[in-house]
Amino acid sequence: MPEETEKKPTLFLREATGLVREVSPWASVSAIFGLVTGGVPLLIASWLFLAPSTNGIFSWTTGYIVTLLPTLAMAFLFYVAGVTMPRSGGDYVFNSRASHPLIGLANYMALWIAFALSLGVYSTLGATWLGDLLTGLGLFYNNSYFLNLGTWITSSTGTAIVAVILIVYAALLSIHPRIQWSFMKWSGAVTLIATLIAFVGFAMVNKSVFFHNLANLTGVSDPVGTVVSDAEKNGLTFFNPIYAVALTIAPIWYYFTWYNLGASWAGEMKQVRRNMFYSTIWAVIIVAIYYMIFTDLYIYAFGNRFTTAYAFLYNEGISDPVVNALSSIGPFPPFFLLVATGSVALYLIAWFAFWWPNTYSNVPLITALVRYLFAWAFDRVAPAKLGEVSEKYHTPTWALITAAVIGFIGAMMYIFITWLSIVDITIVFETSYAIFAIIAAVMPYVRRNIYERYVPIKTKIAGVPLITWIGIAAFAFLVWALYETWGNPVLLPTNILTYESLVVMYGLGIVMYLVARWYNNRKGINIDMLFQEIPPE
């Protein structure tokens, strides 16, 4: 009787993912647009004081153009990652193969935690901006019902309820990829229409009418002079436009982040090369144009000095009669539009144009979180359960549940544990993007075999691979951005909790690799060999 031979375990979790390629380029671009721009116009209005200029339109427009160049360089690296390794978690797969798996896992564990917490944070911001919508109506009409409702929604209880709804709806939509990506496509189309209407509204604002209506609303006869004077008395200085350009670059870089997430669903893209190009390079260009138009229209409509000074006073908590009268809403562009035009319809459309991308982007954010978990399971560094796919819906079910639960925990932590608000996760995005850039730059030299086998773009300039030139340039910019923003109380607040959280976030990836390596070696699986290959489709 022949001896039974022990079955040799497969290198990866299994020989096929079970996922389906059904993500169209337009759906993917819509998802990236929502992820990158969701709520950002409201941040732009709140942070104008970070680069106070005597000519805000010139300074901010030039800043967007200047910052676009290194952003496109970084987007190119993620494009290369997606087309080189078009799998779930494509940028993680690339990062872990282009370097040592320990580095790739540490880098993407930190990014995953930052994105998962962001799911909770931006869900709470979605609730806050919903409250602002109602508060704005209450202020404009002096209506206590809307004021009270807006106040309740922005309370801890109200915010928690709305945030949970926003997370649950996104998780439910993510169950069925075909429905999810159709939802993305139509959300992008609706956002485009609402944005065009809002922009036309801003362009039609009569500044004199706005100031007159603002004076009537606040009871301050000269609201512009009062706001600007109080801001300058308390330390605000309007700089030369050229100098102010340099001040815009750090916040603008932050406005552009999250464009890497398209690579996370590269394994489900149709026409991968075209799709990845649209989802990275073209998406970033579209976002840049969008930001420039919004910022210029906002400043043009309501005045450079007023909008900058108002944002400064509100952020610093400085007493001013105009700011005090509107203290329950702050620098909220749709509300200024309502004051200027008196049109509730335009107010609602403008609010929707800025709020909806922040809300619908929860869906692709959950998708990205799920695909990274799925990729780790396939690489045998995370529990195999996270790699299980529903035969009916072609969705990693347990990974989806895990991502939604972590997002819920993140939201509750930020709402009810107040000291967490001073632990800023922006530092993770800057750090991890920089790590990705330098790894891409050295890949042709330290992982030449993988570079030669898989990377489709091998163009050289002066004998040096293009990916190396671009990687070094992007890395240098990100190091400069970290240096410029480190410790900034608005952009990058740092404290002992920040440093401790960084150790935990990056350390978890290191521990995950070491445990997985030990566990798989016991089963006869060579992890090092696994990371010399890309996962199956």
Side-chain angles (χ1 to χ4, degrees):
M1 191 173 177
E3 295 183 8
E4 291 185 4
T5 58
E6 184 179 354
K7 186 178 179 181
K8 185 178 179 180
T10 59
L11 199 57
F12 292 95
L13 183 63
R14 55 179 180 272
E15 296 179 358
T17 64
L19 303 177
V20 179
R21 291 190 180 274
E22 53 187 356
V23 183
S24 70
W26 172 241
S28 190
V29 169
S30 295
I32 295 299
F33 181 85
L35 286 163
V36 176
T37 69
V40 169
L42 306 179
L43 289 179
I44 291 173
S46 298
W47 289 357
L48 284 177
F49 71 93
L50 293 175
S53 169
T54 55
N55 188 338
I57 290 178
F58 171 83
S59 297
W60 284 99
T61 302
T62 306
Y64 285 121
I65 294 171
V66 171
T67 312
L68 178 62
L69 298 177
T71 302
L72 283 173
M74 198 70 214
F76 172 78
L77 298 180
F78 288 119
Y79 164 73
V80 171
V83 299
T84 298
M85 301 182 182
R87 301 292 186 267
S88 290
D91 46 339
Y92 147 74
V93 175
F94 180 88
N95 203 206
S96 58
R97 271 68 177 175
S99 61
H100 191 279
L102 183 147
I103 297 174
L105 285 167
N107 198 32
Y108 269 80
M109 171 56 77
L111 268 177
W112 192 91
I113 294 172
F115 282 126
L117 291 176
S118 295
L119 174 61
V121 172
Y122 281 91
S123 294
T124 62
L125 287 175
T128 299
W129 293 327
L130 175 60
D132 287 342
L133 171 73
L134 298 169
T135 299
L137 290 172
L139 286 171
F140 187 74
Y141 288 111
N142 194 24
N143 184 296
S144 60
Y145 173 78
F146 284 123
L147 284 171
N148 292 335
L149 186 56
T151 301
W152 180 81
I153 288 178
T154 55
S155 70
S156 296
T157 302
T159 298
I161 292 172
V162 175
V164 168
I165 292 172
L166 295 179
I167 292 172
V168 169
Y169 107 88
L172 291 175
L173 271 176
S174 300
I175 292 174
H176 199 306
R178 182 167 297 177
I179 294 175
Q180 166 196 342
W181 292 109
S182 178
F183 173 77
M184 284 296 99
K185 180 176 65 176
W186 288 108
S187 288
V190 170
T191 298
L192 175 61
I193 295 170
T195 299
L196 291 174
I197 295 172
F199 282 178
V200 169
F202 284 116
M204 294 176 64
V205 167
N206 183 311
K207 201 177 301 182
S208 299
V209 172
F210 168 67
F211 292 149
H212 173 76
N213 293 346
L214 186 63
N216 291 337
L217 182 66
T218 61
V220 180
S221 59
D222 181 16
V224 178
T226 301
V227 166
V228 173
S229 175
D230 284 347
E232 290 181 328
K233 288 177 182 176
N234 284 277
L236 180 66
T237 301
F238 289 91
F239 296 110
N240 177 282
I242 301 296
Y243 175 74
V245 169
L247 301 179
T248 68
I249 293 174
I252 288 174
W253 180 87
Y254 175 74
Y255 300 154
F256 276 128
T257 53
W258 291 35
Y259 49 85
N260 67 296
L261 289 177
S264 70
W265 57 76
E268 295 157 84
M269 285 181 174
K270 300 174 182 177
Q271 305 168 309
V272 178
R273 285 204 178 192
R274 187 168 71 123
N275 202 324
M276 276 301 306
F277 185 78
Y278 288 171
S279 302
T280 50
I281 308 299
W282 271 115
V284 166
I285 292 173
I286 290 169
V287 167
I289 294 171
Y290 169 78
Y291 285 159
M292 283 189 279
I293 293 174
F294 167 75
T295 306
D296 291 353
L297 285 176
Y298 179 69
I299 293 173
Y300 173 80
F302 308 114
N304 174 54
R305 288 181 177 272
F306 171 76
T307 53
T308 304
Y310 186 90
F312 172 78
L313 293 171
Y314 186 82
N315 184 80
E316 298 296 318
I318 297 170
S319 180
D320 169 88
V322 178
V323 175
N324 293 346
L326 306 177
S327 61
S328 56
I329 195 167
F332 194 54
F335 179 71
F336 287 168
L337 188 59
L338 175 62
V339 173
T341 64
S343 172
V344 174
L346 195 55
Y347 174 59
L348 295 174
I349 291 171
W351 171 82
F352 179 83
F354 304 139
W355 181 81
W356 185 237
N358 180 75
T359 300
Y360 83 69
S361 65
N362 271 8
V363 181
L365 178 53
I366 285 183
T367 298
L369 293 171
V370 168
R371 288 345 181 236
Y372 290 129
L373 292 174
F374 180 81
W376 294 342
F378 237 73
D379 278 350
R380 295 184 180 274
V381 293
K385 204 76 175 171
L386 296 175
E388 291 184 3
V389 175
S390 165
E391 293 185 8
K392 181 178 181 181
Y393 298 113
H394 303 288
T395 299
T397 309
W398 287 104
L400 174 59
I401 294 172
T402 301
V405 168
I406 297 298
F408 168 77
I409 293 172
M412 296 305 104
M413 289 169 62
Y414 270 85
I415 293 169
F416 295 108
I417 306 177
T418 54
W419 58 264
L420 278 175
S421 62
I422 61 174
V423 179
D424 194 275
I425 55 177
T426 307
I427 190 173
V428 176
F429 298 124
E430 290 194 7
T431 303
S432 288
Y433 276 32
I435 292 171
F436 188 95
I438 195 62
I439 285 174
V442 302
M443 179 192 187
Y445 303 98
V446 301
R447 288 290 185 268
R448 177 173 291 276
N449 61 325
I450 295 178
Y451 173 76
E452 295 293 342
R453 285 173 63 190
Y454 295 115
V455 177
I457 302 172
K458 297 186 178 69
T459 304
K460 292 186 177 182
I461 298 176
V464 177
L466 178 63
I467 193 175
T468 299
W469 286 113
I470 292 178
I472 290 173
F475 175 75
F477 171 78
L478 288 167
V479 170
W480 173 84
L482 267 172
Y483 174 78
E484 285 296 313
T485 57
W486 195 273
N488 184 297
V490 177
L491 291 174
L492 202 65
T494 53
N495 48 68
I496 187 62
L497 293 173
T498 303
Y499 304 133
E500 290 174 352
S501 66
L502 286 174
V503 171
V504 171
M505 293 166 80
Y506 286 95
L508 280 175
I510 296 173
V511 171
M512 183 169 70
Y513 168 76
L514 295 175
V515 171
R517 195 171 191 276
W518 167 79
Y519 178 75
N520 283 286
N521 281 343
R522 291 184 61 195
K523 296 173 64 177
I525 299 171
N526 189 331
I527 283 286
D528 295 328
M529 185 180 295
L530 182 150
F531 281 95
Q532 295 295 317
E533 307 287 340
I534 65 173
E537 291 195 64

